[in-house]
Amino acid sequence: LTRRIPKPAADDEIRHLVEAFNEMLARLEEVFRDQQRFVADVSHELRTPLTTLQSTVDLLRRGAFETPEQQAEALTMIASEVARLKRLVDDLMLLVRADAGETLQYEPVELDMLLLDVYRQAKVLARASGKPLEVRLGHEDQAIVRGDRDRLRQLILNLVDNAIKYTPEGRITLSLYREDGWVRLEVEDTGIGIPKEAQPHLFRRFYRVDRARSRELGGTGLGLAIVQWIAEAHGGYVDVESEEGKGSRFIVYLPIWQPSPRDHSGGAEAA
Ligand code: ADP
């Protein structure tokens, strides 16, 4: 009997309750609509390349590609579309796990060491792109964050991957600054840049400035959404500064790890 919801004392209270309830309903509807849109987008993103693959395979089987060069070209196209589809499915699985509230494996991570690691990898990727690109390590402070090493590596790699994709020639610079309680990680390029009006939408799932170009470069349209999720899961955030035709700078802020006095897990300097 005592556990019953107490009867509101005044009409005013009922009105507040109804308002709160309606707000909750509206929010639920919004989540549901977002989810529906996501599923529709995913279906579309999967269907388009599958249709292309299907028709190319059909043409191959009917002998429509006459010369060995034409056949080799068709097979190369098929192989790269399949590779892109696999990346798309991997990215989707990661985001679905994120939506389901996947917990990260936290440990003290020396971000400067991780950046150095990714920098070496970036040099290899830049060379493999066949474009005249120079990858540089700019300013690098030492900094430890409490984070998931694999996810943080992926965050930096996604930004580096974009910098390589969207820079026809020039320079890519990785930097790390430490400033009152925060680490600022920057990936800067001298590439094609991003129009002002597109910048607020970049981190949305499947948003691309130029759909055809992204696809041609093997993009999934999910790289930056994943970057944003990883940054936010670490209590940080991500920002972009860019000028069309000049280049872009992606900036990730992460809180520096402040070990508590009782934390003896080692590796970090005291706060
Ligand atoms: P994608 O797989 O298409 O690269 P992302 O989510 O990683 O998807 O990025 C979304 C879009 O943002 C890209 O399609 C591209 O238009 C733009 N973009 C991202 N990084 C850069 C960059 N460094 N320079 C120019 N444009 C970029």
Side-chain angles (χ1 to χ4, degrees):
L1 219 71
T2 50
R3 282 178 165 267
R4 257 195 224 149
I5 299 171
K7 218 172 175 180
D11 281 358
D12 222 28
E13 263 179 77
I14 296 180
R15 199 167 46 78
H16 282 311
L17 273 175
V18 169
E19 273 169 13
F21 184 69
N22 284 340
E23 258 168 46
M24 261 160 53
L25 267 184
R27 175 77 195 115
L28 265 177
E29 266 170 20
E30 197 184 302
V31 169
F32 188 65
R33 261 201 312 276
D34 282 354
Q35 208 61 32
Q36 273 182 325
R37 191 173 318 128
F38 184 52
V39 171
D41 286 347
V42 168
S43 312
H44 177 77
E45 294 286 340
L46 289 171
R47 202 164 193 291
T48 314
L50 283 173
T51 310
T52 318
L53 282 174
Q54 191 177 35
S55 54
T56 313
V57 170
D58 279 350
L59 286 170
L60 265 174
R61 284 166 68 195
R62 282 195 272 122
F65 300 103
E66 283 162 14
T67 66
E69 288 77 31
Q70 285 173 337
Q71 288 161 13
E73 210 175 289
L75 285 173
T76 305
M77 193 282 272
I78 291 175
S80 80
E81 263 315 88
V82 169
R84 197 177 70 83
L85 271 172
K86 180 166 181 303
R87 272 201 303 281
L88 177 58
V89 171
D90 287 345
D91 283 356
L92 279 171
M93 274 165 55
L94 195 134
L95 282 173
V96 167
R97 284 205 305 270
D99 286 346
E102 183 200 41
T103 44
L104 301 180
Q105 303 298 316
Y106 289 110
E107 57 177 323
V109 178
E110 293 172 319
L111 210 57
D112 45 311
M113 299 311 283
L114 189 61
L115 192 69
L116 190 64
D117 228 35
V118 178
Y119 159 71
R120 295 200 181 105
Q121 206 174 336
K123 281 175 95 80
V124 177
L125 291 173
R127 204 168 314 129
S129 77
K131 296 188 283 190
L133 292 175
E134 181 204 352
V135 184
R136 287 192 330 142
L137 202 53
H139 185 93
E140 205 190 20
D141 285 334
Q142 286 187 344
I144 297 179
V145 299
R146 180 177 174 273
D148 185 312
R149 185 181 299 274
D150 291 340
R151 293 289 176 253
L152 289 173
R153 175 191 301 276
Q154 182 170 19
L155 176 152
I156 309 172
L157 254 181
N158 281 8
L159 294 177
V160 164
D161 190 51
N162 279 349
I164 293 175
K165 277 194 300 194
Y166 301 108
T167 307
E169 62 176 306
R171 210 171 47 235
I172 293 161
T173 311
L174 311 182
S175 320
L176 192 66
Y177 299 86
R178 194 191 153 124
E179 47 191 23
D180 34 79
W182 291 88
V183 186
R184 196 173 86 232
L185 188 151
E186 295 186 358
V187 178
E188 191 182 355
D189 66 55
T190 57
I192 61 172
I194 301 156
K196 271 272 164 302
E197 62 277 12
Q199 291 175 19
H201 311 294
L202 287 184
F203 300 95
R204 245 178 33 214
R205 296 173 183 190
F206 297 124
Y207 179 86
R208 286 105 153 179
V209 177
D210 181 338
R211 186 164 288 271
R213 190 200 295 252
S214 154
R215 196 167 155 209
E216 195 185 313
L217 295 169
T220 64
L222 294 174
L224 287 179
I226 290 174
V227 165
Q228 187 177 49
W229 167 65
I230 296 173
E232 289 180 356
H234 283 82
Y237 57 99
V238 48
D239 202 1
V240 60
E241 293 166 1
S242 181
E243 202 177 324
E244 244 185 308
K246 288 242 169 96
S248 311
R249 178 190 290 143
F250 284 84
I251 310 154
V252 180
Y253 293 89
L254 297 170
I256 285 184
W257 187 48
Q258 312 275 9
S260 74
R262 280 178 303 147
D263 196 340
H264 296 299
S265 53
E269 69 258 54

